[in-house]
Amino acid sequence: MAKQERAIRTRNALVHSAATLFDRDGFEVASLATISARAGVSSGALHFHFPSKAALADAVVAAAGDRLVRITREREALALQILIDASHELVQGLRCDPVLRVGFALSADPERTRAARDLRRGWREWVESVVVRAERAGLLAPDVVPRDLAAAVVAVAAGHEALGHQDPGWLERAPLTRFWAFLLPRAVGDARVGLFVASGDAAAEPYGTAESHGTGTVESHGTAESRGARAREAYGTVAVVSPEPGAEADVRS
């Protein structure tokens, strides 16, 4: 058992080291020798776990996929609040977790990884499935097209990911909070905005403690308990589960 646990720790250290160096130096520049040295692991141990840099890239994508599954985990809440919370968790993860950040990039690059998981596609399909549930629960304003709402949420996450490479400020909580504060009245109507909190549920944050929202963010509409009570009274709760890989959401026009 101790030997197995040591092997898992070694593998995890190599995956994290690879992601950090791929992120810092680029995939082509980062060498296996540098990766093993940073992880405090011998070259022989590295090759025991990963015969090539491509195999390490596959492992980074797989680890990032596991993180995405946790971000899109089953929760009981109104569907749009689930989406708000998960989008904040995703952006925070892209800010501070090199495995998630690099895994997203590598999963869309078939020249560098053989991993079958396209994490961006997985995120898009999950967003579409949540928006469909929000519509079926009667949460969306009558003139909102679910496909358009899902596209907006997917696009803003992709934009934060891309812009965050040059300016980490895009991966702070405040810009995404402003997006949701702008979008929510249009998506659900002014009468239902008070059921949601644009800054997300800080208690669900898996990447450290909640940060200061800074200037320009929106105050929560009452406590989480009072929002939840009003939501349950009006709509009940919805448990949203990650779709099976490759499953297409029914996003109607």
Side-chain angles (χ1 to χ4, degrees):
M1 182 63 70
K3 186 175 182 180
Q4 183 180 12
E5 290 175 354
R6 185 165 60 251
I8 292 171
R9 287 197 301 270
T10 297
R11 182 183 175 88
N12 289 343
L14 287 166
V15 168
H16 190 272
S17 176
T20 300
L21 291 173
F22 292 162
D23 191 39
R24 189 189 74 185
D25 302 334
F27 179 84
E28 300 298 340
V29 173
S31 68
L32 292 177
T34 307
I35 291 169
S36 62
R38 191 184 190 284
V41 174
S42 69
S43 294
L46 182 151
H47 286 286
F48 174 80
H49 289 281
F50 304 106
S52 66
K53 190 158 62 170
L56 257 174
D58 293 346
V60 170
V61 173
D66 292 341
R67 286 157 166 77
L68 183 61
V69 168
R70 288 198 294 271
I71 289 170
T72 57
R73 64 193 178 276
E74 182 178 348
R75 319 171 196 222
E76 284 199 0
L78 290 181
L80 277 185
Q81 189 62 55
I82 291 171
L83 187 53
I84 294 168
D85 296 346
S87 68
H88 277 287
E89 290 184 18
L90 176 62
V91 169
Q92 291 296 298
L94 292 170
R95 177 180 64 85
C96 66
D97 184 352
V99 172
L100 186 66
R101 188 164 57 245
V102 173
F104 257 75
L106 286 175
S107 74
D109 188 347
E111 294 183 1
R112 293 176 177 173
T113 177
R114 298 182 301 275
R117 298 174 79 170
D118 183 338
L119 301 186
R120 290 169 180 162
R121 178 183 177 186
W123 169 252
R124 172 179 60 80
E125 291 173 350
W126 182 80
V127 170
E128 290 171 349
S129 72
V130 177
V131 171
V132 166
R133 286 165 172 78
E135 181 197 28
R136 290 172 180 168
L139 291 171
L140 303 187
D143 60 342
V144 169
V145 178
R147 180 180 57 196
D148 294 345
L149 176 57
V153 175
V154 171
V156 80
H160 281 260
E161 179 192 1
L163 291 167
H165 286 294
Q166 283 74 42
D167 179 3
W170 282 99
L171 299 177
E172 299 292 340
R173 186 177 291 274
L176 187 58
T177 298
R178 288 193 289 268
F179 164 77
W180 280 112
F182 175 79
L183 183 65
L184 275 171
R186 174 72 181 88
V188 303
D190 291 335
R192 283 175 286 199
V193 167
L195 297 175
F196 305 96
V197 54
S199 58
D201 180 4
E205 174 58 66
Y207 291 102
T209 57
E211 301 171 15
S212 171
H213 295 168
T215 305
T217 57
V218 176
E219 298 277 336
S220 299
H221 294 273
T223 65
E225 183 178 356
S226 65
R227 286 195 311 275
R230 293 199 303 274
R232 286 190 296 273
E233 182 179 352
Y235 300 99
T237 59
V238 179
V240 177
V241 186
S242 300
E244 291 297 319
E248 296 293 339
D250 177 21
V251 180
R252 290 169 288 181
S253 58

